[in-house]
Amino acid sequence: MTKNAQRLSQLISTFGPGAMIDLPTRSVVVAGLEFWEMRANSFTTIPEPRLTARLEQLLKDQGRLDPNVSLSLRTPPVATDNATGMPAGVIAPIFPTWFVCEQVEATTAATGTLRRRRLVRWQDLDTRGRRKFVFDDGRKSEVTPIRFVCACEKGHLQDIDWRWVVHGAVQCHEPLWVEEKGTSADPADTSIVCGCGRNLSLQDAFQPGRLGKCRGERPWLLDRDPNGCGDNLKLLTRTATNTYFPQVYTVISLPSEEDDLTRLVDELSGDLGNVQTVEDIAQAKRFNPKVSVSLGAYPDAEIFERLKRLREGARADAARSPKMSEFDVFASGRQQIGHNHPTAKLYAETLPRTAWVDPSVDVDTSAIKNLVVVHRLREVSSLYGFTRFEAAPTSSDGDIEDIQLAVRGAPISRGADWLPAIEQFGEGLFIHIDEQVVNHWLQAPDVVNREVSLLRGYGHWRARFSGGAPNYPGTAYTLLHSLSHALMAEIALDSGYPASSLKERIYALSDARNGGVPARCGILIYTATPGAQGTLGGLVAAASRFSRILRNALDRQLICSNDPVCADHEPDGRSGDRATHGAACHGCLLIAETSCEMRNLFLDRSLLVRTMARHQSNFFDQ
């Protein structure tokens, strides 16, 4: 991989449109979808009707997609060897356009040694490569992009107008310098100094309104927001983690094959996205070799009938939480789920209790109704927007209304009829928890008291979201989420999988729209990677040792290396994300955020076992 290349998964997560990337000599911002070089052979259409229908509905409701346009999912362009020209790629405009010279001038002042470096613009650099600045005396200096830019909560991004910030309305053409003292890189020790004597401390730049009003600039789309803006700009460190939070929607593919024709149409549904009539099927066969080879032997009317049936099912599925559909498939109790075929999207088996319950292991498994081994699964993820400063609130059940709470999310295109997506394959374990046992546990007085404390913490946490936050996911969700993290850590030790390669989906779902008693309780722990790690079979093999894994996972939660501080932690009255935690920290329950569906929120091991704080709210007697 070259220095200027990114993985497909990075382009729909860490470095999607609107994200800034450091290159060896400058910084760039990843351009919007209109500037991706989507040549005929550089991308693949991903068929996933459930996800496509869901996102199409979301974008049309937000006014980001024309009501008469059908959405499709495509992989990012893949750079292949091309002897006749440049390989396909993604355009990345230069940003920011202010640079700092690497040549340092040191001066002595009453407060100590001051180091200053010249602050210059892109157009001031030499025309041969734009890598050096030439001083008036002929000296040349390498340059690096300045670390600071500004943005607003709507995702708009722009260069700081340093001359205006330092001088206001006063015109001045003296050179600007970045002046530093000490070695802490504290904003109070860094100033922008003009040759005329005016200066600005970066600590003052954090004051509201000090950087001026936002002009709605969107450098990744090379335009300005047609709706304007006018919000106060905020100082943003270019390499900080709060510069970019992707909005990614993920589903687990479900089996839909009734026969060979339905399976083929399902696989090609992405290529048939624009088909609206039987006559369009004939045109697709004529102009798309893939469709012609796969479906050439079938009548056009039958193909169109299967396609309509798949679309109607996807639209009906889009009206409810995607997790409900997934749970109903995994918890169906069928011995075999899907078909054992190399091209199958999902193949799983519901194990008899004798296959995973070990009588010699002292652990109570009565609350677990079924254990399902998922031999093969397919995960499809699509990027549809991003936020800055704060990540969009995460919904526990993927409900469309909760997703729309992130109304300040920025678009990744001006109106493209497709979204970038990737498909990954893997395996997993689905643990079906008895809903009646969970509901009986929720009614215990000690659990009710613990829930009151968790609700007070949730109230403090949601106050930080001006646009609204998701509903409280429920104490049952916190229980299952905590159990999932405990099991993931133990499975990583048992199976040899890297902990960061494991993922989770928590099912604590109520039939009511506004929550309530959970009617579906389960946990899916799985891997899904483009490489071989997702299909090594380690999770499936762990099913026979599940009793021992469960006992060891619970035993590890009895004592945390940060006890008694961790065990005594109360969520009420706390600030930030800690307000959503009970007894949980990096020593016991917190895992890599790439593995957690809720960004390590809503965790409490006192709901699992009895900690040294002696809360009586534990679900397991350990």
Side-chain angles (χ1 to χ4, degrees):
M1 181 183 296
T2 65
K3 291 183 179 180
N4 296 343
Q6 300 292 337
R7 295 183 182 275
L8 295 184
S9 57
Q10 289 178 308
L11 277 175
I12 68 153
S13 56
T14 316
F15 300 119
M20 290 173 283
I21 301 179
D22 267 329
L23 299 182
T25 60
R26 61 206 59 186
S27 172
V28 297
V29 59
V30 180
L33 302 184
E34 287 84 0
F35 305 98
W36 291 27
E37 298 174 351
M38 306 298 283
R39 302 172 189 169
N41 298 322
S42 65
F43 70 92
T44 303
T45 302
I46 296 180
E48 182 51 59
R50 292 172 60 234
L51 180 59
T52 304
R54 194 110 175 125
L55 288 175
E56 183 177 304
Q57 175 185 333
L58 171 65
L59 296 184
K60 288 181 178 179
D61 290 344
Q62 294 184 344
R64 297 187 187 180
L65 185 66
D66 189 292
N68 300 317
V69 171
S70 297
L71 187 71
S72 63
L73 305 179
R74 303 177 185 176
T75 62
V78 178
T80 56
D81 293 335
N82 188 351
T84 61
M86 292 293 292
V90 174
I91 294 174
I94 301 294
F95 185 86
T97 57
W98 283 90
F99 294 79
V100 179
C101 293
E102 293 186 1
Q103 184 170 323
V104 180
E105 296 183 8
T107 59
T108 303
T111 56
T113 301
L114 297 177
R115 302 178 307 279
R116 69 175 192 168
R117 296 176 293 164
R118 183 73 177 268
L119 182 61
V120 296
R121 296 169 300 174
W122 169 259
Q123 56 264 38
D124 298 328
L125 303 182
D126 68 317
T127 56
R128 297 183 60 185
R130 301 282 185 181
R131 296 186 179 183
K132 295 182 179 180
F133 175 74
V134 182
F135 288 88
D136 293 339
D137 58 5
R139 291 175 298 137
K140 294 183 178 181
S141 173
E142 300 280 348
V143 295
T144 57
I146 193 168
R147 289 190 300 130
F148 305 102
V149 295
C150 57
C152 75
E153 292 182 353
K154 293 179 182 177
H156 301 141
L157 182 70
Q158 65 187 61
D159 270 304
I160 298 174
D161 188 345
W162 293 109
R163 290 199 178 277
W164 179 87
V165 169
V166 173
H167 298 92
V170 178
Q171 294 291 325
C172 180
H173 299 287
E174 292 294 320
L176 294 174
W177 303 80
V178 177
E179 194 171 82
E180 300 169 317
K181 60 182 179 180
T183 58
S184 66
D186 188 275
D189 295 336
T190 304
S191 299
I192 306 298
V193 179
C194 180
C196 69
R198 292 177 178 261
N199 66 84
L200 168 75
S201 170
L202 285 185
Q203 188 175 34
D204 297 333
F206 285 97
Q207 297 176 1
R210 187 64 180 83
L211 299 180
K213 298 293 184 179
C214 177
R215 299 190 296 265
E217 293 190 9
R218 304 186 295 188
W220 66 97
L221 299 180
L222 301 180
D223 72 353
R224 289 188 179 183
D225 192 334
N227 298 319
C229 187
D231 290 356
N232 284 332
L233 289 167
K234 294 183 178 181
L235 189 69
L236 191 63
T237 303
R238 180 170 49 80
T239 54
T241 56
N242 67 342
T243 60
Y244 191 81
F245 295 99
Q247 292 177 292
V248 179
Y249 201 55
T250 300
V251 300
I252 303 296
S253 297
L254 301 179
S256 58
E257 301 91 347
E258 301 172 3
D259 52 27
D260 289 340
L261 178 56
T262 304
R263 177 178 59 80
L264 290 172
V265 172
D266 190 26
E267 291 175 359
L268 293 170
S269 59
D271 296 276
L272 300 173
N274 294 323
V275 170
Q276 301 299 329
T277 64
V278 177
E279 290 73 21
D280 291 341
I281 296 290
Q283 295 296 316
K285 286 182 177 180
R286 180 180 177 185
F287 294 106
N288 191 324
K290 189 191 301 184
V291 174
S292 176
V293 171
S294 301
L295 301 176
Y298 295 95
D300 296 349
E302 289 190 24
I303 297 173
F304 186 66
E305 180 63 30
R306 297 294 200 284
L307 183 62
K308 281 204 309 181
R309 194 180 307 169
L310 288 172
R311 287 176 176 175
E312 290 168 358
R315 281 193 291 267
D317 213 18
R320 68 176 194 158
S321 164
K323 282 189 175 181
M324 286 191 176
S325 301
E326 296 167 12
F327 180 91
D328 290 345
V329 169
F330 286 124
S332 63
R334 297 197 302 267
Q335 183 178 357
Q336 288 196 343
I337 301 170
H339 301 286
N340 188 11
H341 189 274
T343 62
K345 295 179 179 179
L346 180 70
Y347 173 60
E349 290 183 290
T350 304
L351 298 180
R353 294 189 70 85
T354 54
W356 58 273
V357 174
D358 187 349
S360 65
V361 179
D362 184 19
V363 63
D364 184 9
T365 59
S366 60
I368 300 175
K369 293 180 68 173
N370 281 315
L371 185 68
V372 180
V373 291
V374 185
H375 298 278
R376 188 178 298 108
L377 63 78
R378 173 179 179 254
E379 176 198 67
V380 181
S381 301
S382 179
L383 175 71
Y384 64 93
F386 66 90
T387 61
R388 302 197 196 277
F389 297 107
E390 285 281 356
T394 305
S395 169
S396 62
D397 63 356
D399 187 79
I400 196 75
E401 292 180 358
D402 281 344
I403 292 175
Q404 288 181 293
L405 287 173
V407 294
R408 302 177 77 86
I412 60 175
S413 73
R414 296 174 185 167
D417 61 353
W418 62 277
L419 290 176
I422 58 169
E423 56 180 352
Q424 302 185 105
F425 299 89
E427 57 172 335
L429 288 175
F430 176 76
I431 304 136
H432 185 187
I433 309 296
D434 193 323
E435 293 80 9
Q436 292 185 355
V437 175
V438 172
N439 292 328
H440 179 73
W441 169 78
L442 287 171
Q443 297 171 13
D446 292 304
V447 177
V448 172
N449 292 335
R450 189 61 175 170
E451 183 176 48
V452 170
S453 180
L454 292 170
L455 278 169
R456 284 199 296 262
Y458 163 75
H460 289 286
W461 174 76
R462 72 171 297 166
R464 65 193 291 188
F465 297 101
S466 58
N471 294 328
Y472 177 62
T475 305
Y477 181 93
T478 305
L479 167 69
L480 298 181
H481 195 203
S482 303
L483 177 60
S484 174
H485 282 211
L487 288 173
M488 289 170 72
E490 188 61 32
I491 288 173
L493 294 173
D494 178 84
S495 66
Y497 272 109
S500 59
S501 71
L502 299 178
K503 300 181 182 181
E504 66 178 358
R505 284 179 82 80
I506 311 300
Y507 304 90
L509 308 172
S510 170
D511 290 330
R513 296 286 292 178
N514 297 321
V517 176
R520 297 170 174 84
C521 293
I523 300 168
L524 175 65
I525 298 174
Y526 68 102
T527 63
T529 62
Q533 275 188 332
T535 55
L536 295 176
L539 282 182
V540 171
S544 61
R545 305 185 299 276
F546 182 77
S547 294
R548 191 171 303 277
I549 289 173
L550 176 61
R551 189 196 64 184
N552 292 343
L554 296 176
D555 285 347
R556 293 181 190 277
Q557 299 305 313
L558 292 171
I559 299 292
C560 171
S561 59
N562 290 321
D563 278 345
V565 176
C566 176
D568 290 336
H569 173 77
E570 293 293 334
D572 46 338
R574 298 288 177 170
S575 61
D577 292 346
R578 288 290 286 158
T580 67
H581 293 162
C585 69
H586 286 284
C588 51
L589 280 183
L590 271 64
I591 61 174
E593 287 197 0
T594 53
S595 298
C596 177
E597 72 167 20
M598 190 60 81
R599 297 189 302 108
N600 278 327
L601 303 177
F602 302 106
L603 295 166
D604 187 2
R605 62 188 171 95
S606 67
L607 299 182
L608 294 177
V609 296
R610 189 171 302 178
T611 66
M612 62 174 56
R614 311 307 294 174
H615 294 295
Q616 306 292 318
S617 55
N618 50 295
F619 184 77
F620 293 95
D621 293 325
Q622 194 72 0

